Amino acid sequence: MSPVGPASTSRPPPRSEPKPPQHAVQDMLCLWSWVKGVYRVQRLLRHAFVASLLVLSHPITIAAPVVIAQANGVRVLTDGHLRWPGGIPARLAGIIPPLGPPGTAGGYDPGPDLAASIAGTVWQLALTPAGVDRYGVPFVVALDQDSRSLQALLIATGQAMVAGDGRINAAMAQDWQALEQAAQRARRGHWASGGLIAGDVAALALLTQTRTEPVFARVEATIVRGRHSGGWLTLALSDGEDRDGGPILMAQVRPRFAEAIRAKHGDIRRWRGRTITMRGFVYRDVEARLVLEWSHPAQIDHLGR
């Protein structure tokens, strides 16, 4: 018989055991944090690139005809006009385009007179304090060689409304509101066609019966009550303090904007019986209630005593 050798002292390699589930979750969270970090850096670099282009102050020439439009939340002059060299769009700060036909997001030919008046004009784009939107598109004021803004021209001719979104300074906003009221009184542009909306609660209630998309409007009303609930601020508005069974417009502020409203205007629960002129997007909610959504103190034009 052959002799039996000594027992081997080598050990088999250890088996790789699967990570516990909590470790796998931690790895996924780390990966997700890294992806988000890369995305944020990419956005910052894009914003810096756009801002640097604006600092260079390249002039832009607008040719006729010009159409105001709204697409994907970016307001531009369509057909390639008011676009930065290289195809970067510029968002005109502080204005809202006229209302389009039902089922559309807006967009109108402003007519030959206005188109002729701005055709060939060299506009200098000035970056506003609002910077850029979430898509990296810069908010700008377009100024001609006499420092007159394209926005003011559009408002004065009834081609746009003041947004009241706080993206322009207060003095400029007041000047534009005066131009808007004058254009409305004179029924210029789309104030005559119904493309721009301002009125009472009853008029908005009637308008939203035939529209499913939000309508930007300026409304004059009386405050029935104010309420804080779940972080939301809500004003109930009517066409008269007695209401007479008429429609009620619920002006709502989302929680993330509520603190700025409280800091500017105080406790809205004390506003009962006061008159108010404000602007925002009006629509019917899932319960068919009439709602005006607003997010900035500048959307209140006037608050009575």
Side-chain angles (χ1 to χ4, degrees), residues 71-97:
N72 298 325
V74 179
R75 298 179 189 93
V76 299
L77 300 183
T78 58
D79 296 336
H81 303 305
L82 199 63
R83 285 189 173 271
W84 206 257
I88 300 175
R91 183 171 174 177
L92 290 177
I95 65 170
I96 293 287

Side-chain angles (χ1 to χ4, degrees), residues 44-60:
L44 288 173
L45 291 175
R46 185 183 179 190
H47 293 178
F49 173 68
V50 172
S52 65
L53 289 178
L54 287 169
V55 170
L56 294 176
S57 298
H58 292 288
I60 287 181

Side-chain angles (χ1 to χ4, degrees), residues 157-226:
T157 53
Q159 310 302 324
M161 287 182 69
V162 180
D165 52 14
R167 294 191 172 104
I168 56 174
N169 64 58
M172 186 177 288
Q174 290 179 355
D175 291 342
W176 290 3
Q177 287 173 9
L179 293 174
E180 177 186 285
Q181 292 168 7
Q184 182 186 4
R185 287 193 298 268
R187 294 181 60 78
R188 299 189 192 113
H190 294 291
W191 287 112
S193 68
L196 299 175
I197 308 298
D200 56 19
V201 175
L204 294 179
L206 184 62
L207 177 67
T208 53
Q209 287 179 356
T210 58
R211 287 185 171 268
T212 56
E213 71 277 6
V215 173
F216 189 84
R218 190 182 76 237
V219 61
E220 299 177 9
T222 299
I223 301 170
V224 178
R225 63 183 176 274

